[in-house]
């Protein structure tokens, strides 16, 4: 028997629908926005907690201890996956990876930006293996330091790996196999180590890692980021230790100059800049959330595609957990005579779900281009499709992020495992599978009440649309002098995606484990 | 200079080959079909079982494996129920059961011996159920296929079976071996490169 979680009550969907309609009208009716610099507060300067942040950025060992703890956990996951019980819900590898980490990491971005990457065991273990150094700058001979081939120098590798992992996760079903989960973890470690050993800097983190790129993209919406405490000091800096590194500390692994940093996408929160800056001028900052997505981040074509693929894959994750998905899949299988694991039907479903939102987006961009040409003066008529495509792609970010969090909240709140017994017996030795009664109890014992969960989900989806409308308004005006009716196609795109997200949330959702 | 580049190319190609070889062995990992269900069948005394319900062609099919985690030399069985989707009528044909190694690319590309299926039996309906017993002598990942034809249409129903524990030494050994080999090769190239630079510098100074 397959258990499902109840969906969001319909009245919530109607309420958000009305809000969307009003906001859409307002976005087109109000005057063009005045662009002003975003405000930010350095956490290191705050009265009570400032000391803690200064401490965290000054000393290496707190971060190092955390890195070691996460690496140990990663090794435990691999051990449990390879040697532990094949019963999914009794094995730490599957529960920790798919129930806690992959659902929690997205929610964590709201509170800690791209901090995950600082603790990431793939990168840390790879660095320890290759650099032969725990944290100091190393002159190890184990790195070839080759230039990354031009072909790989974009986020396309990360996009393709992300699609591949989604196929493995949901199509092949590694979520339901501790062994396969451990193999995937090992494969990532091998990829991280190989690229670190072959190429200069951290090519894996910058160009290939789907997790890092997802965290990077979403952290453009986060209210917290590593930035200069006093921008004036950075402006006058001649030595640029954050970029070049110091005697002891390695340079920025993704080639960023903190004083000029405008987008979080490639910051791995590694802390090298906080350590190497001679003026101790780098720290965590509170800033207006989503300011990057709304105005600061620069549009690039490969990143635009990554954002759209991220949106598609997020929708796909939700879609595969609905009852409808099974029906569509078996209809497709009958149509093409696919049997057994239905992997061909699944792959077609995945391809369609990836392509369809991008195609709809292209359509909306085409319409925007047409409207702009008609409404604007000669200078703007040369407005290229590509520029519009990359400029507006940030709209998909809040839409994907809000659904991703709302969806993950369901897993997180409703499928909390019996962590005590899992930690006591991570390999699940001698453990029995969950009985229907156990499953039922787990289903009933939620972390927060069902109503609280629904309220949280409704608010998150609404916020997603509000930010999307802001992105459209600000970017439209700043990049293309667009306002009023010319914004309509993009608003329709945001409304369509939000509507679809709401529809998915209203449906009952299959329990993950 | 050209020499170094060509060496690098050779090493890089070697590494790429290793990565490919490793990946092809990694992909032999068993894949899991559908959702495991731990409900008991009426005639089972060997819980847990793997039970999967799916629609294939004109049929609604339920199949189960007992036990879900069989060990080598331990008998097990597969049960299949199939009813027509349109009128609920039970399937009444002979079903042929075959087995092959669960290699990821085995069937689609036809690599290796494991891709060739071996017939384990033919079964007729027995009290509404098709039952096929099995006994595997060695540990491994297998795919059992139930095959029948209806109205001229072939039906193939696959389900994976892990017999005994999956070998953990393979992937760990391969991963550690690969990383060790990679770092060793790079170390050698780097040392040679440094030595050559020193000699060149010495020559220039002289
Ligand atoms: S980018 Fe990927 S590999 Fe790099 S630190 Fe982040 S999660 Fe880890
Ligand atoms: S060194 Fe670079 S990647 Fe690391 S925290 Fe600073 S800006 Fe981010």
């Amino acid at each position: 028997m397959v258990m499902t979680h109840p969906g969001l009550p319909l009245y919530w969907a109607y309420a958000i629908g009305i809000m969307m309609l009003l906001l859409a009208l307002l976005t087109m009716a109000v005057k063009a926005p005045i662009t002003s610099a975003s405000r930010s507060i350095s956490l290191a300067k705050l009265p009570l907690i400032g000391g803690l942040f200064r401490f965290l950025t000054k000393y290496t060992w707190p971060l190092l201890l955390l890195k070691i703890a996460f690496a140990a956990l990663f090794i435990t996951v691999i051990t449990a996956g390879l040697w532990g019980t094949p019963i999914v819900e009794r094995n730490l590898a599957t529960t920790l990876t798919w129930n806690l980490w992959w659902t929690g990491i997205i929610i964590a971005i709201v509170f800690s930006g791209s901090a995950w990457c600082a603790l990431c065991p793939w990168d840390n273990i790879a660095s320890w293996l290759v650099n032969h150094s725990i944290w100091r700058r190393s002159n190890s001979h184990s790195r070839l330091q080759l230039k990354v081939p031009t072909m790989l120098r974009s986020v396309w590798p990360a996009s393709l790996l992300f699609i591949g992992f989604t196929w493995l996760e949901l199509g092949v079903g590694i979520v339901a196999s501790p062994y396969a989960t451990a193999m995937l973890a090992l494969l990532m470690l091998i990829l991280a180590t190989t690229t670190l050993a072959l190429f200069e800097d951290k090519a894996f983190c910058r160009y290939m890692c789907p997790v890092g790129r997802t965290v990077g993209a979403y952290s453009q919406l986060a209210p917290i980021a590593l930035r200069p405490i006093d921008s004036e000091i950075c402006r006058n800096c001649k030595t640029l230790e954050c970029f070049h590194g110091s005697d002891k500390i390695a340079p920025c692994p993704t080639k960023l100059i903190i004083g000029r940093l405008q987008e979080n996408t490639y910051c791995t929160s590694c802390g090298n800049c906080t350590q190497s800056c001679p003026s101790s001028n780098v720290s965590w900052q509170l800033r207006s959330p989503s300011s990057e997505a709304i105005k600061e981040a620069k549009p690039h074509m490969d990143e635009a595609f990554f954002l759209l693929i991220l949106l598609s894959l997020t929708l796909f994750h939700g879609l595969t957990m609905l009852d409808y998905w099974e029906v569509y899949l078996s209809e497709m299988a009958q149509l093409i005579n696919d049997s057994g694991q239905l992997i061909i039907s699944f792959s077609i479903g995945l391809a369609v779900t990836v392509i369809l939102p991008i195609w709809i987006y292209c359509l909306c961009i085409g319409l925007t281009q047409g409207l702009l040409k008609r409404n604007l003066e000669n200078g703007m008529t040369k407005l290229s499709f590509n520029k519009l495509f990359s400029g507006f792609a940030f709209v998909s970010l809040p839409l994907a992020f809000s659904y991703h969090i709302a969806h993950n909240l369901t897993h997180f709140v409703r499928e909390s495992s019996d962590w005590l017994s899992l930690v006591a017996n991570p390999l699940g030795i001698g453990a029995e599978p969950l009985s229907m009664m156990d499953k039922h109890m787990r289903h009933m014992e939620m972390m927060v009440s069902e109503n609280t969960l629904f309220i949280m989900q409704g608010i998150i989806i609404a916020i997603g649309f509000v930010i999307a409308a802001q992105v459209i308004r600000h970017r439209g005006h700043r990049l293309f002098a667009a306002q009023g009716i010319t914004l309509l196609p993009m608003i329709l795109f945001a409304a369509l995606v939000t509507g679809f997200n709401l529809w998915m949330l209203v449906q009952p959702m299959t329990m993950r484990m | 200079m050209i020499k170094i580049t060509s060496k690098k190319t050779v090493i890089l190609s070697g590494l790429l080959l290793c990565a490919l070889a490793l990946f092809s062995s990694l992909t032999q990992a068993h894949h899991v079909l559908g959702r495991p269900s731990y409900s008991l069948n009426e005639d089972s005394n060997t819980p847990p079982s793997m039970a999967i319900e799916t629609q294939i062609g004109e049929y609604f099919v339920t199949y189960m494996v007992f036990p879900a985690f069989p060990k080598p030399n331990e008998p097990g069985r597969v049960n299949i129920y199939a009813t027509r989707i349109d009128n609920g009528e039970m399937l009444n044909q002979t079903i042929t059961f075959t087995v092959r190694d669960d290699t990821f690319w085995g069937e689609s590309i036809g690599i290796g011996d494991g891709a060739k299926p071996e017939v384990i039996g033919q079964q007729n309906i027995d009290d509404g159920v098709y039952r096929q017993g099995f006994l595997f002598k060695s540990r491994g990942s297998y795919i059992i296929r139930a095959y029948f034809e209806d109205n001229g249409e072939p039906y193939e129903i696959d389900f994976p079976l892990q017999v005994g524990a999956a070998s953990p030494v393979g992937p760990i050994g391969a991963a550690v071996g690969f990383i060790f080999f990679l770092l060793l090769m790079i170390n050698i190239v780097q040392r040679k490169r440094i030595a050559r630079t020193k000699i060149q510098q010495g020559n220039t100074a002289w």
Side-chain angles (χ1 to χ4, degrees):
Chain A
M1 185 179 146
V2 176
M3 296 194 75
T4 54
H5 301 307
L8 197 70
L10 215 51
Y11 55 82
W12 262 108
Y14 288 137
I16 297 171
I18 294 169
M19 182 280 292
M20 274 163 43
L21 187 69
L22 294 176
L23 189 67
L25 293 173
L26 196 72
T27 307
M28 287 189 291
V30 291
K31 272 197 198 145
I34 300 160
T35 315
S36 57
S38 317
R39 269 166 302 178
S40 61
I41 309 164
S42 171
L43 285 170
K45 281 187 176 168
L46 288 184
L48 281 171
I49 51 167
L52 173 73
F53 280 95
R54 280 197 298 274
F55 168 78
L56 284 177
T57 43
K58 185 170 176 200
Y59 296 102
T60 319
W61 63 266
L63 184 59
L64 185 62
L65 280 183
L66 278 172
K67 285 179 179 189
I68 293 172
F70 273 72
L73 208 58
F74 176 76
I75 292 167
T76 315
V77 162
I78 298 213
T79 312
L82 297 182
W83 282 277
T85 172
I87 302 167
V88 186
E89 68 274 20
R90 297 295 194 201
N91 192 307
L92 192 75
T94 28
T95 38
L96 196 69
T97 309
W98 304 112
N99 256 24
L100 190 66
W101 174 73
W102 188 225
T103 51
I105 194 176
I106 304 297
I107 299 169
I109 296 170
V110 179
F111 306 101
S112 56
S114 62
W116 158 256
C117 286
L119 309 174
C120 164
W122 298 321
D123 176 52
N124 287 323
I125 296 179
S127 302
W128 293 331
L129 284 172
V130 173
N131 289 337
H132 308 162
S133 161
I134 300 281
W135 64 271
R136 277 170 182 270
R137 187 174 188 151
S138 118
N139 292 317
S140 142
H141 294 318
S142 295
R143 295 192 66 181
L144 272 189
Q145 307 267 21
L146 303 176
K147 281 237 167 308
V148 180
T150 328
M151 215 177 75
L152 292 179
R153 253 184 270 158
S154 66
V155 285
W156 274 110
S159 303
L160 297 178
L161 272 179
F162 200 0
I163 296 174
F165 286 170
T166 305
W167 184 79
L168 283 175
E169 181 193 344
L170 302 168
V172 176
I174 55 174
V175 177
S177 165
Y179 183 85
T181 301
M183 296 298 287
L184 182 67
L186 262 182
L187 183 69
M188 285 296 274
L189 180 61
I190 291 172
L191 278 176
T193 313
T194 310
T195 34
L196 192 67
L198 292 181
F199 301 118
E200 57 183 7
D201 305 316
K202 288 193 178 171
F204 182 70
C205 296
R206 197 173 202 297
Y207 306 117
M208 293 169 209
C209 177
V211 176
R213 287 312 94 243
T214 304
V215 170
Y218 282 158
S219 71
Q220 294 187 355
L221 300 167
I224 180 166
L226 272 173
R227 289 289 185 277
I229 299 172
D230 181 349
S231 344
E232 207 44 43
I233 296 180
C234 280
R235 215 165 312 180
N236 297 325
C237 174
K238 298 278 176 290
T239 47
L240 291 183
E241 273 92 343
C242 60
F243 182 74
H244 299 294
S246 64
D247 290 346
K248 286 186 186 163
I249 307 294
C252 172
T254 49
K255 288 205 159 115
L256 303 172
I257 298 174
I258 198 88
R260 294 180 210 153
L261 199 61
Q262 277 196 310
E263 46 191 298
N264 242 18
T265 323
Y266 298 106
C267 175
T268 59
S269 298
C270 68
N272 282 3
C273 53
T274 64
Q275 302 278 321
S276 58
C277 175
S279 318
S280 301
N281 191 35
V282 186
S283 182
W284 292 94
Q285 295 234 339
L286 264 187
R287 55 191 190 152
S288 67
S290 56
S291 56
E292 277 179 37
I294 292 175
K295 37 190 178 184
E296 285 147 20
K298 299 264 175 304
H300 298 281
M301 208 54 177
D302 58 327
E303 291 167 3
F305 267 106
F306 183 82
L307 297 184
L308 288 162
I309 289 171
L310 185 59
L311 174 69
S312 300
L313 294 180
T314 309
L315 302 183
F316 185 69
H317 263 83
L319 207 59
T320 55
M321 286 181 197
L322 306 184
D323 282 346
Y324 295 97
W325 173 252
E326 304 254 323
V327 178
Y328 289 140
L329 205 63
S330 61
E331 276 174 6
M332 164 100 67
Q334 287 176 40
L335 205 71
I336 60 169
N337 217 352
D338 183 18
S339 70
Q341 206 172 350
L342 310 192
I343 203 78
I344 300 173
S345 314
F346 176 87
S347 308
I348 295 173
L350 173 61
V352 170
T353 319
V354 169
I355 293 167
L356 200 62
I358 301 179
W359 182 76
I360 296 175
Y361 177 76
C362 286
L363 210 69
C364 294
I365 290 292
L367 284 174
T368 309
Q369 194 182 22
L371 283 176
L372 278 173
K373 272 187 184 165
R374 203 186 292 173
N375 279 287
L376 298 174
E377 288 142 31
N378 296 339
M380 293 299 277
T381 50
K382 285 195 202 97
L383 200 60
S384 81
F385 183 89
N386 286 5
K387 207 171 160 208
L388 276 163
F389 185 96
S390 54
F392 273 123
F394 293 90
V395 73
S396 58
L397 205 50
L399 303 175
F401 195 40
S402 58
Y403 178 73
H404 210 147
I405 297 184
H407 173 95
N408 279 8
L409 268 179
T410 306
H411 287 304
F412 204 64
V413 166
R414 292 181 187 270
E415 296 170 16
S416 50
S417 293
D418 184 358
W419 290 107
L420 272 184
S421 61
L422 263 171
V423 171
N425 182 11
L427 272 60
I429 294 166
E432 289 287 314
L434 281 181
S435 66
M436 278 325 281
M437 181 55 109
D438 290 332
K439 282 198 171 189
H440 196 71
M441 290 305 291
R442 187 181 273 197
H443 196 64
M444 303 304 285
E445 286 168 4
M446 293 169 59
M447 267 185 204
V448 295
S449 78
E450 190 163 82
N451 267 337
T452 316
L453 173 68
F454 289 150
I455 291 171
M456 280 162 39
Q457 287 182 313
I459 291 175
I460 289 166
I461 292 289
I463 291 177
F465 186 77
V466 172
I467 299 176
Q470 290 284 77
V471 172
I472 296 170
R473 199 164 89 90
H474 280 261
R475 288 201 170 255
H477 175 66
R478 212 161 52 85
L479 299 175
F480 316 108
Q483 56 178 321
I485 194 73
T486 46
L487 299 177
L488 184 63
M490 290 317 299
I491 289 175
L492 280 179
F493 175 78
L496 192 71
V497 175
T498 312
F500 187 70
N501 287 346
L502 272 174
W503 174 80
M504 286 201 289
L505 283 178
V506 168
Q507 311 303 314
M509 188 180 109
T510 307
M511 218 172 154
R512 189 161 233 179
M513 62 182 73
Chain B
M1 208 55 202
I2 293 164
K3 239 183 177 177
I4 299 176
T5 319
S6 63
K7 234 182 213 167
K8 234 189 270 166
T9 317
V10 171
I11 290 172
L12 281 179
S13 332
L15 290 175
L16 195 67
L17 269 178
C18 288
L20 278 177
L22 181 70
F23 189 70
S24 60
S25 77
L26 290 180
T27 48
Q28 283 175 14
H30 57 171
H31 40 101
V32 178
L33 172 69
R35 303 185 196 95
S37 148
Y38 302 105
S39 53
L40 276 180
N41 175 266
E42 63 283 0
D43 65 349
S44 165
N45 55 1
T46 53
S49 69
M50 179 175 275
I52 288 146
E53 294 170 351
T54 186
Q55 288 177 19
I56 299 170
E58 306 288 307
Y59 286 90
F60 184 69
V61 179
T62 305
Y63 50 90
M64 300 180 188
V65 188
F66 304 95
F69 312 120
K71 297 188 175 63
N73 293 314
E74 182 186 75
R77 67 183 180 283
V78 179
N79 283 6
I80 288 196
Y81 312 74
T83 49
R84 281 193 73 86
I85 296 169
D86 49 1
N87 57 16
E89 223 174 75
M90 258 181 229
L91 170 77
N92 199 348
Q93 306 269 5
T94 305
I95 296 189
T96 307
F97 290 87
T98 55
V99 67
R100 64 185 156 84
D101 282 346
D102 183 5
T103 54
F104 201 77
W105 309 112
E107 199 191 29
S108 38
I109 308 180
I111 298 173
D113 286 345
K116 292 188 198 96
E118 206 178 286
V119 176
I120 45 175
Q122 284 196 324
Q123 301 300 330
N124 290 316
I125 196 154
D126 164 26
D127 206 8
V129 185
Y130 294 85
R131 301 167 212 268
Q132 173 66 55
F134 61 73
L135 189 142
F136 287 90
K137 290 217 167 66
S138 44
R139 196 175 73 168
S141 305
Y142 302 94
I143 296 273
I144 295 187
R145 169 171 289 176
Y147 177 86
F148 63 91
E149 282 178 14
D150 187 55
N151 273 338
E153 294 286 332
Y155 283 77
E156 290 172 343
I157 306 159
D158 285 350
F159 40 103
L161 190 67
Q162 174 67 41
V163 176
S167 165
V169 183
I172 288 277
V176 172
F178 174 77
I179 290 176
F180 178 75
F181 174 74
L182 171 85
L183 298 183
L184 188 77
M185 292 300 275
I186 289 175
N187 242 292
I188 294 170
V189 173
Q190 283 292 78
R191 275 175 205 283
K192 278 197 174 163
R193 206 196 244 178
I194 291 168
R196 199 172 301 124
T197 318
K198 273 189 187 155
I199 292 168
Q200 275 167 2
Q201 276 171 354
N203 284 346
T204 325
W206 187 76

